[in-house]
Amino acid sequence: MKLGPVLFATVAALVAAVHGASPCGPVLLPDLNKAFPAGASKSYCDKGGEGAPVSECATNRDAVIGIDAGIKAYKVTRCGEVVASIAWMLFESGGWKYNINHTPGTIGQGTRCMMMWEFISEYAQSLFPEEYKKLMGTSAAKPETATDAIKTSVIKLVLPNNMSFSAAFWFLVNKAPTFHNNNAKLRDGNMEDFKEYVTKGIGTTWTAEREKIWIDVNKAIVFS
């Protein structure tokens, strides 16, 4: 049975009320293909995003490996958190087409969730402390002073799929901890919880497209 938007929202709210936040198993390729059918095609990356090289594009098969790595690395096991992180990445990356910002071309912004330099710097340092220190030089103490050339070098550390698709999970746990393992936040099937995470946890603008993507991901993972 295909649920209409109103009925789906009602069912989702009931699931959230009854179950709160349930543990998720691993996100499998069929789940991601259901959430984002376009990315299931082998020819999906024959063309890159506008203004971006084809090499930045990823298929669902590429994405699911990095997503699984992030879930395991940062111990994100609640379905609502997993859904929120995947929906965030799908939106920001233009459906896996982008790995860095091309419009307007903000240097140092990237990964599949398009973290700004402030967070890219912290993320890279957490994963590659020695390489980070060498690349940053005297800017290590004050990352905001890093030149564009330094930012470009540092961000390359976290652009491979395993790191890039893990970034949203790192952010949730380390930069928005009140939303992590909190049974009053990011509950299963609760769109309002996701909206709060977007506007107050991530600190960005809520849009109808974010809502649509979240509904598709939620259907695939929570209702699979």
Side-chain angles (χ1 to χ4, degrees):
M1 178 179 69
K2 186 175 181 180
L3 299 178
V6 175
L7 180 56
F8 175 78
T10 302
V11 172
L14 287 171
V15 170
V18 174
H19 296 290
S22 59
C24 267
V27 175
L28 304 176
L29 183 58
D31 300 325
L32 207 54
N33 288 344
K34 184 178 177 183
F36 183 53
S41 171
K42 291 181 180 179
S43 62
Y44 179 63
C45 287
D46 286 354
K47 183 179 179 181
E50 185 176 351
V54 172
S55 59
E56 281 189 42
C57 182
T59 64
N60 287 346
R61 187 174 294 276
D62 301 318
V64 76
I65 297 170
I67 288 168
D68 185 56
I71 288 170
K72 289 177 179 176
Y74 299 103
K75 298 178 174 60
V76 177
T77 58
R78 298 165 69 246
C79 280
E81 295 181 19
V82 172
V83 168
S85 299
I86 294 173
W88 179 23
M89 289 191 286
L90 262 173
F91 176 85
E92 297 292 351
S93 67
W96 314 144
K97 291 282 188 177
Y98 301 96
N99 207 11
I100 61 172
N101 179 282
H102 290 275
T103 305
T106 304
I107 304 297
Q109 181 183 6
T111 70
R112 298 298 172 176
C113 63
M114 290 295 153
M115 293 194 299
M116 298 300 288
W117 166 247
E118 170 190 355
F119 304 118
I120 290 293
S121 174
E122 288 187 47
Y123 185 45
Q125 184 178 27
S126 74
L127 292 173
F128 306 101
E130 292 304 317
E131 292 92 332
Y132 175 86
K133 186 177 179 180
K134 290 177 183 177
L135 291 171
M136 289 291 288
T138 57
S139 299
K142 292 185 176 181
E144 68 274 13
T145 66
T147 65
D148 285 352
I150 290 174
K151 291 177 182 178
T152 300
S153 296
V154 170
I155 199 172
K156 287 179 181 178
L157 295 174
V158 295
L159 294 183
N161 281 340
N162 269 21
M163 278 72 73
S164 190
F165 282 102
S166 295
F169 301 103
W170 172 86
F171 183 94
L172 170 66
V173 172
N174 292 280
K175 307 311 296 183
T178 58
F179 290 85
H180 177 52
N181 286 341
N182 182 341
N183 286 331
K185 305 284 186 182
L186 293 177
R187 292 162 290 184
D188 293 356
N190 195 312
M191 188 189 300
E192 289 302 314
D193 280 7
F194 179 57
K195 184 175 182 179
E196 182 188 22
Y197 180 56
V198 167
T199 57
K200 296 182 180 178
I202 299 169
T204 191
T205 306
W206 178 254
T207 66
E209 181 63 16
R210 288 185 189 274
E211 179 177 322
K212 180 184 180 300
I213 290 172
W214 178 88
I215 287 174
D216 289 343
V217 175
N218 193 65
K219 282 181 181 178
I221 293 177
V222 175
F223 288 91
S224 61

